[in-house]
Amino acid sequence: MGMEVVMLKGEGPHFPKPLSNPSEVDALVGPDKALPELTYVFNAINLTRRLLKGKVPLIGFSGGPWTLMAYMIEGGGSKLFSKAKKWLFAYPEASHKLLRKLTDVIIVYLQKQVDAGAQLLQVFESWAGELGPATFQEFLLPYLNDIATQVKAKHPTIPLIVFPKGANHYTMDSLKESGYDVIGCDWTIDPKEARAKTQRGEGKSPKVLQGNLDPCALYGSEETIKREVREMLQGFGTQGLIANLGHGLHPSHNPAHVGVFIDAVHSISDEMNAK
């Protein structure tokens, strides 16, 4: 969109010249100019899909509009996100303009990922938990809904996951009626509560959920991991669930413990389903 972004080792995305004034939003480019710069992503997806030869599905993804906005204003990760949140209250019109531009780019970006071979898409709102219920409803939910609507308009059968990290408690009532097929859960919500919040009434299937083991559980012993997996599966049940961590792996995780987690999901699910 015309801004420089670099990946700093151990820090993640970094914008050397973040947005500092609402007037700078007008200079950001839209999908027509932004997407050609991402051709390498679509080429990588196409190549990966061919090399996988159908062994496993290929997942595409994008950061969500609020998360990208936060990075673009803060310049990177933040403890308070005060600069980005200031915009919501001090410059609401400019915030909506920026979120609209980001949403337009994200929609085409995800559509093109499917064109290139992605078989499932996930929208990561990593900083959703920095918003409150009211700001979520005003500044994020309409744009998340538009992403789902527009991506499904071009690719009706593509499964969509939305992951509002840190905000499951107050977002599920809205997202359960959205166009997303799956809601990602972090470890701060009890699986039974997540199930209860995503019931959709008579004649409607509940949303599929994804999650939600605390990634730090993988630092425990094999027995600890198995116990945590069992508790997670007993809370969610084995149906309508993509068993996963509640967020990403840490660089210091032991890969062997990831294998323990995966094996435990399969064996304990089989055991529960056999009863």
Side-chain angles (χ1 to χ4, degrees), residues 31-53:
D32 291 347
K33 293 184 178 179
L35 270 299
E37 299 295 322
L38 297 171
T39 300
Y40 70 94
V41 175
F42 311 128
N43 290 340
I45 290 172
N46 184 266
L47 176 61
T48 303
R49 175 72 184 274
R50 287 189 282 114
L51 292 176
L52 285 173
K53 296 180 180 179

Side-chain angles (χ1 to χ4, degrees), residues 3-272:
M3 294 182 68
E4 180 186 5
V5 58
V6 295
M7 296 296 291
L8 297 181
K9 186 176 181 180
E11 296 185 26
H14 174 68
F15 288 80
K17 296 180 179 180
L19 297 175
S20 59
N21 190 297
S23 63
E24 296 170 337
V25 174
D26 290 331
L28 298 175
V29 301
D32 291 347
K33 293 184 178 179
L35 270 299
E37 299 295 322
L38 297 171
T39 300
Y40 70 94
V41 175
F42 311 128
N43 290 340
I45 290 172
N46 184 266
L47 176 61
T48 303
R49 175 72 184 274
R50 287 189 282 114
L51 292 176
L52 285 173
K53 296 180 180 179
K55 294 177 181 177
V56 293
L58 180 60
I59 303 174
F61 72 94
S62 174
W66 159 245
T67 293
L68 296 179
M69 174 181 169
Y71 277 124
M72 293 165 75
I73 295 172
E74 298 285 346
S78 171
K79 291 184 178 180
L80 299 177
F81 289 92
S82 56
K83 294 177 183 178
K85 292 176 71 175
K86 172 185 175 180
W87 276 50
L88 303 180
F89 296 100
Y91 316 121
E93 291 184 7
S95 295
H96 278 295
K97 182 183 288 187
L98 176 53
L99 289 163
R100 181 70 261 167
K101 282 196 167 189
L102 285 164
T103 298
D104 290 343
V105 171
I106 291 167
I107 289 167
V108 181
Y109 181 50
L110 291 172
Q111 289 173 338
K112 286 185 174 293
Q113 288 189 44
V114 180
D115 293 338
Q119 296 163 286
L120 181 153
L121 299 171
Q122 179 157 327
V123 178
F124 284 87
E125 273 297 356
S126 302
W127 307 127
E130 297 299 323
L131 302 175
T135 46
F136 171 80
Q137 290 288 331
E138 180 179 355
F139 290 102
L140 183 49
L141 182 61
Y143 301 104
L144 288 177
N145 283 339
D146 197 32
I147 290 169
T149 298
Q150 297 301 323
V151 171
K152 290 277 192 177
K154 185 175 182 183
H155 299 289
T157 62
I158 192 74
L160 295 179
I161 303 173
V162 61
F163 180 38
K165 183 178 180 290
N168 288 129
H169 295 85
Y170 59 82
T171 60
M172 283 187 158
D173 285 342
S174 299
L175 291 175
K176 71 180 181 182
E177 301 299 341
S178 71
Y180 293 92
D181 303 283
V182 183
I183 301 174
C185 303
D186 63 39
W187 63 94
T188 65
I189 188 166
D190 182 87
K192 291 181 180 179
E193 181 184 356
R195 280 293 184 212
K197 284 181 174 291
T198 49
Q199 297 301 311
R200 302 174 63 218
E202 188 175 351
K204 292 184 177 180
S205 299
K207 285 288 185 182
V208 174
L209 300 177
Q210 176 176 266
N212 70 333
L213 190 74
D214 187 334
C216 287
L218 298 188
Y219 290 120
S221 65
E222 292 189 12
E223 290 308 311
T224 296
I225 295 170
K226 292 175 183 178
R227 183 191 70 231
E228 294 293 321
V229 168
R230 182 177 296 277
E231 291 179 0
M232 178 186 75
L233 292 176
Q234 287 174 338
F236 280 121
T238 60
Q239 305 304 303
L241 173 69
I242 300 174
N244 204 341
L245 301 178
H247 200 223
L249 291 168
H250 301 173
S252 56
H253 274 143
N254 181 349
H257 282 197
V258 179
V260 173
F261 166 71
I262 295 171
D263 290 343
V265 168
H266 286 295
S267 62
I268 295 171
S269 294
D270 288 344
E271 174 191 325
M272 292 174 63

